[in-house]
Structure formats: C-alpha cells, structure tokens
Amino acid sequence: DAGVIQSPRHEVTEMGQEVTLRCKPISGHDYLFWYRQTMMRGLELLIYFNNNVPIDDSGMPEDRFSAKMPNASFSTLKIQPSEPRDSAVYFCASSSSLPLMGQGYNEQFFGPGTRLTVL
Amino acid sequence: KQEVTQIPAALSVPEGENLVLNCSFTDSAIYNLQWFRQDPGKGLTSLLLIQSSQREQTSGRLNASLDKSSGRSTLYIAASQPGDSATYLCVFGNEKLTFGTGTRLTIIP
C-alpha cells in the first residue's frame, strides 16, 4: 500500500478563493481524520469519519470549512471562502480502529500533509 | 480541557548522548499515550504506543514510559544519532487524540 495520499502537497491561493484538499486513506481503514497544524496551536483534530460517515466535527473552526467522504477511498476538506488565518499544514490520517479503554488501538497513519498559504 | 505540554520546546545535544523528552498531561482518564516523530515538511511517524495498563514500551534505542498518577510520560533515546533529529510529539489518547506542542530535537554530529 502506498500509505495515505494527499493532494496537493502545496497550495497558494488568494483570500476569498475556494480551496479543496484531497485525501486517499489506506485501503481497509474504516476511520479517516483531518488535522490542522500551526505553530501557534499545534496539531488539532478537525473532523473524523467512520465508514464514510462524519462522527465528530466539533473541531471544524467555522462554517467556511466542510468535509466530505463520498466513498471509502476518498475524502475532501473544503474551505470557502479562504482567509489568511487558514494558512497551515493540513494532515489526513487513517486507522482501522479508535482508541478503546484498556485495549489500545491500531495506530493512525498520517499522510505527508498539504501546506496551504492564503495570501 | 485536556492539555498536553512538552518541555523543552527545543533541545540540542551532541551525538552519542542519551536524552529524555518530557510530556505532561492534565486528564487522568487516559486510554493510551503515543509518541510520534515528525520530520520537516513531512507527516507523522508513530514510534511507540503505551496502553493505559502498561508502564513502558521499548523499540530499539527508544523507551517510553507512562505514569498516569503524575500525568507524565517520557521518551528516552539512547546513544543519539544525527538521524534522530526531528520534532517529537506526544499524543494523549482517550475518546479523542490530543497532541502536544512538540520538542524539536537536534543531534549535533
């Protein structure tokens, strides 16, 4: 397996434009996560899916952010309209399970990230 | 709100030295604690995972410990090498994952 695939690797856009980030999880993984990493706030979970269904989107910062998972092999994170403060590295990760008390969990595998710059 | 703190934020040591990275967390309801490595411009690579019922895990030159009572975890790296230079993140796991801010480690040849 090629691991988690993200595209594009770098995106530079102007404020107000729509941005779409893409992710292909590892085949067979039922969970998909979107994270955002900034110097100020570190890594933050934005949303995660289980079997293509959004389970927890409490980390999505605003209505400008939306995420979809139309099938088991593809997910998108969309920002519309984009703002300079959205500039960050966005990571996608997948795993075959979630943490369970006392049972550990299968680790999350991260993609290489998309570096977004909004001018 | 769960907070995961890593001190120091940056550390430089000469090659060959043993070193310890620290992680502290505020919530005792922990399921597991995981250490990741992040290389510049790249994603995260899992190093070690300690379940709540365990006290430590070892992989090669790496040893991670977990003390739930004090809310601390340490990552011990033996005989450091320049290739160990990276940012190390500890991750607190319960229903969600909470990431620490990381320690940027530089091994000086």
Side-chain angles (χ1 to χ4, degrees):
Chain A
D1 199 314
V4 176
I5 299 173
Q6 291 186 248
S7 65
R9 292 295 308 277
H10 302 273
E11 177 80 26
V12 180
T13 190
E14 293 186 345
M15 182 174 63
Q17 296 297 307
E18 178 180 294
V19 175
T20 300
L21 310 181
R22 299 173 177 79
C23 175
K24 179 181 180 351
I26 292 173
S27 178
H29 281 186
D30 296 329
Y31 290 88
L32 183 141
F33 307 82
W34 281 101
Y35 293 91
R36 178 174 66 176
Q37 185 178 38
T38 62
M39 289 293 293
M40 292 297 296
R41 301 173 66 91
L43 260 167
E44 301 172 285
L45 175 65
L46 300 177
I47 184 172
Y48 78 89
F49 295 82
N50 176 218
N51 291 325
N52 313 337
V53 177
I55 303 300
D56 185 348
D57 65 354
S58 59
M60 297 285 265
E62 302 173 31
D63 291 343
R64 298 183 297 108
F65 286 70
S66 62
K68 294 182 180 180
M69 193 166 184
N71 57 62
S73 60
F74 183 66
S75 177
T76 60
L77 178 67
K78 185 176 294 186
I79 308 173
Q80 168 62 21
S82 58
E83 297 182 2
R85 59 194 171 117
D86 301 330
S87 297
V89 179
Y90 291 81
F91 287 103
C92 175
S94 70
S95 73
S96 58
S97 68
L98 275 186
L100 296 174
M101 174 64 83
Q103 299 178 39
Y105 73 108
N106 293 326
E107 64 186 290
Q108 290 189 14
F109 293 83
F110 281 74
T114 295
R115 182 174 296 276
L116 173 64
T117 302
V118 183
L119 303 175
Chain B
K1 178 184 176 181
Q2 171 65 252
E3 292 186 2
V4 182
T5 305
Q6 291 186 247
I7 296 174
L11 180 65
S12 295
V13 299
E15 178 179 1
E17 286 197 2
N18 303 324
L19 61 99
V20 175
L21 305 181
N22 297 297
C23 172
S24 62
F25 47 90
T26 54
D27 191 343
S28 61
I30 183 172
Y31 294 0
N32 49 63
L33 193 292
Q34 189 167 7
W35 284 90
F36 283 89
R37 165 186 177 138
Q38 185 175 25
D39 293 282
K42 297 186 179 181
L44 280 70
T45 302
S46 176
L47 298 175
L48 290 165
L49 182 149
I50 311 174
Q51 299 180 26
S52 61
S53 59
Q54 300 174 324
R55 292 188 63 85
E56 65 178 335
Q57 283 287 333
T58 298
S59 176
R61 295 182 294 108
L62 305 180
N63 175 276
S65 67
L66 174 63
D67 184 342
K68 292 187 294 182
S69 62
S70 65
R72 293 183 60 188
S73 176
T74 62
L75 178 66
Y76 174 83
I77 302 177
S80 58
Q81 302 171 359
D84 295 330
S85 297
T87 296
Y88 291 80
L89 297 164
C90 74
V91 183
F92 176 98
N94 48 19
E95 289 85 4
K96 295 183 179 182
L97 296 183
T98 304
F99 286 76
T101 50
T103 294
R104 180 173 296 180
L105 176 65
T106 302
I107 305 301
I108 305 167

